[in-house]
Amino acid sequence: MGRRSTAELGDRMTKNVVVAMANLRLVFGLLSSVLLVVSCVEDRHTALRSPQTPRRQFPEGVPSSVAPLVSRHQLRLDNGLASTPPMGWNSWNHFACNVNETVIFETGLAAKGYKYINLDDCWAALQRDSQGNLLARATTFPSGIKALADYVHSKGLKLGIYSDAGYYTCASQPGSLGHETQDAQTFASWEIDYLKYDNCFTDGTKPEYRYPVMRDALNKTGRPIFFSMCEWGIDSPATWANNVGNSWRTTGDITDDWNSMVGIVELNNVWADYAAPGGWNDPDMLEVGNGGMTVEEYRSHFSLWALMKAPLLIGCDVRNIGAEILEILANEEVIAVNQDPLGVQGKRVRMDGFSGLEVWSGPLSSGRVVLLLWNRSSESANITARWSDMGIPNDTLLTVRDLWKHETISEAEMYEICQEVPSHGVKMFILTPVSQIYLKRESYSHKMD
Ligand code: GLA
């Protein structure tokens, strides 16, 4: 099959984008506006392969109850990526095997930091070529993956691809088991930036043995390729994968419904202390905008993923989303929690029995704290979070910023916050200490009186 030139492809795709954009009501459209502020540090030569376990530096005042117990990163994929969780778009949750290059180009989502455009399963031909190389599927990717990568790069974005640590992928394209070096070289020659690596049709050996083979093959290419491990949490990857990948799935596949999302949050929360810059727990891609949950539920889903420092990989058809969904995916204040440079996964700090009323929290840079009130119950309810739930001294004066209302609550002396939270909804805040020292001095002088 002859490949079209990049220029031809670019022209054709530009036309497609223009047509698609005409139908968009919202800002998400033009590919040129997707050019994103990239917060990841991608200097592969500065990082890693340190024989020492680097200790995470917490700023003073980070409450110990929400700080992780251990700092574990030692050897790791030698690519210097993932200083913050990856953000982008993945084809699977919405398009599954109906992905094609037109869809990819039209997915010129303009969002605030979503830079990876990731092909999932079904991009490859069912047979390798006579030299054993992977090939793009001729019917759906006639231009080839290198041309796609060139186009994506020309828009300031990055291209991700998908393979499997088994003989076949889950949808039966060739897997990379036994072909790791060759496939990693192929991906590097196509200038791929991200590899999702699945776990179907294996030889029965443990993921601990199969995944490092691809890690080493990627390292050998010399190209920084984000390594997204997808072994579904079956072998507790959080406990060993920080040496292997930039992220690791902690659960099976998400589906677009409330119970699936809630179950995944529970499973992912178990591993909170193992996430850190360079390697993140991955509770699977976002379902926001796919239609199976209410807007309130999607707001919870997105807030929890942000707080848990999960990869923010949009999984919907961004050409067809409404204003409310766009507002969720583009909420810069919530995204900033996810991309906070401190890189500590937030977790549940309090739940009131089986009421479904929960308080989640985690430290952020500059001594700030993120607070999430989550109502899992079927009725609207008041949820109270005490500063002590988050290890903050009661006399701490804080500013409280509502990340969904985009309002700052007054600096009144408070030691708790109580808010009505709708059923299946959240309220999300950043707490910023303003004058702890002043208050301490005052209470000291009262004692002296
Ligand atoms: C597995 C993965 C999914 C998706 C499909 C593709 O189920 O967990 O995320 O990649 O395979 O076949």
Side-chain angles (χ1 to χ4, degrees):
M1 176 203 61
R3 284 184 181 174
R4 290 175 201 158
S5 72
T6 306
E8 278 174 334
L9 176 66
D11 285 350
R12 191 163 63 81
M13 296 332 303
T14 303
K15 277 182 208 137
N16 284 337
V17 169
V18 169
V19 171
M21 288 313 112
N23 296 325
L24 286 178
R25 284 180 291 130
L26 300 162
V27 203
F28 244 139
L30 292 171
L31 272 170
S32 58
S33 64
V34 194
L35 304 182
L36 308 163
V37 178
V38 173
S39 55
C40 284
V41 177
E42 299 195 355
D43 179 358
R44 68 181 275 109
H45 300 294
T46 55
L48 314 182
R49 293 229 178 274
S50 160
Q52 309 280 323
T53 300
R55 293 200 64 77
R56 189 202 295 278
Q57 298 296 313
F58 290 101
E60 285 195 13
V62 169
S64 58
S65 65
V66 288
L69 298 173
V70 281
S71 176
R72 317 180 47 264
H73 287 250
Q74 301 173 25
L75 286 175
R76 169 184 311 162
L77 178 63
D78 185 18
N79 64 12
L81 299 174
S83 61
T84 58
M87 293 176 64
W89 178 89
N90 176 290
S91 56
W92 184 255
N93 282 356
H94 186 82
F95 292 100
C97 276
N98 296 319
V99 65
N100 62 54
E101 62 181 30
T102 307
V103 164
I104 295 303
F105 287 121
E106 286 181 354
T107 309
L109 68 162
K112 320 284 170 57
Y114 298 99
K115 67 175 180 176
Y116 288 106
I117 305 294
N118 292 347
L119 293 174
D120 208 282
D121 213 342
C122 305
W123 66 268
L126 295 179
Q127 303 292 332
R128 291 171 179 271
D129 73 9
S130 55
Q131 277 85 50
N133 296 309
L134 289 171
L135 294 170
R137 197 166 290 190
T139 46
T140 42
F141 291 89
S143 310
I145 303 299
K146 177 63 168 71
L148 183 60
D150 288 347
Y151 185 74
V152 168
H153 291 153
S154 79
K155 299 299 171 193
L157 300 172
K158 293 182 176 290
L159 185 64
I161 211 159
Y162 163 97
S163 191
D164 190 289
Y167 298 116
Y168 301 98
T169 69
C170 302
S172 298
Q173 68 183 42
S176 292
L177 186 63
H179 293 265
E180 290 88 349
T181 303
Q182 183 175 18
D183 290 353
Q185 293 294 344
T186 300
F187 299 146
S189 75
W190 290 343
E191 300 186 27
I192 292 294
D193 303 298
Y194 182 115
L195 173 66
K196 173 175 171 180
Y197 205 46
D198 216 334
N199 198 32
C200 279
F201 300 107
T202 74
D203 60 359
T205 56
K206 283 175 169 292
E208 287 96 310
Y209 300 113
R210 282 175 289 113
Y211 281 76
V213 182
M214 182 52 94
R215 171 201 60 190
D216 294 343
L218 292 172
N219 275 342
K220 255 185 257 155
T221 68
R223 183 174 175 79
I225 298 178
F226 188 107
F227 190 28
S228 159
M229 297 171 47
C230 179
E231 62 83 272
W232 316 310
I234 55 176
D235 240 352
S236 306
T239 63
W240 52 271
N242 64 327
N243 294 332
V244 184
N246 297 119
S247 66
W248 45 84
R249 281 273 294 275
T250 53
T251 74
D253 289 5
I254 193 169
T255 54
D256 185 20
D257 65 81
W258 169 256
N259 289 334
S260 166
M261 191 275 287
V262 169
I264 277 181
V265 169
E266 286 298 329
L267 293 170
N268 194 61
N269 186 45
V270 171
W271 307 109
D273 294 337
Y274 293 85
W280 306 102
N281 291 314
D282 176 3
D284 207 358
M285 300 163 297
L286 296 166
E287 292 284 9
V288 177
N290 278 331
M293 292 185 238
T294 65
V295 170
E296 208 64 68
E297 291 171 344
Y298 281 141
R299 199 173 290 123
S300 299
H301 177 17
F302 192 71
S303 302
L304 284 154
W305 261 236
L307 176 138
M308 295 193 300
K309 300 291 185 287
L312 295 182
L313 296 172
I314 295 169
C316 67
D317 180 354
V318 293
R319 299 163 305 174
N320 294 309
I321 54 174
E324 285 171 314
I325 296 299
L326 177 63
E327 192 198 328
I328 293 173
L329 294 172
N331 185 326
E332 288 181 12
E333 297 200 67
V334 175
I335 290 171
V337 168
N338 180 259
Q339 297 290 302
D340 183 74
L342 189 63
V344 177
Q345 180 171 329
K347 53 191 172 187
R348 181 167 42 221
V349 296
R350 192 159 61 80
M351 60 194 288
D352 291 335
F354 294 106
S355 63
L357 308 181
E358 301 190 353
V359 179
W360 290 63
S361 183
L364 300 174
S365 55
S366 308
R368 298 165 310 139
V369 172
V370 58
L371 166 64
L372 187 79
L373 309 177
W374 186 23
N375 181 1
R376 291 166 59 162
S377 80
S378 53
E379 304 289 337
S380 176
N382 286 330
I383 302 182
T384 301
R386 297 176 196 99
W387 293 175
S388 55
D389 293 335
M390 293 163 277
I392 301 172
N394 271 349
D395 60 2
T396 309
L397 190 59
L398 300 161
T399 57
V400 179
R401 174 81 180 166
D402 186 320
L403 306 187
W404 285 109
K405 281 192 179 162
H406 306 295
E407 283 171 11
T408 301
I409 298 176
S410 80
E411 295 175 12
E413 272 184 58
M414 302 159 73
Y415 55 91
E416 64 178 33
I417 185 169
C418 179
Q419 295 263 317
E420 186 176 359
V421 185
S423 166
H424 291 190
V426 289
K427 292 278 169 90
M428 192 173 194
F429 306 96
I430 287 180
L431 312 181
T432 305
V434 282
S435 61
Q436 201 168 343
I437 295 167
Y438 167 76
L439 279 173
K440 279 201 175 127
R441 277 206 200 111
E442 233 191 9
S443 66
Y444 176 74
S445 70
H446 288 328
K447 274 183 205 134
M448 298 294 285
D449 286 341

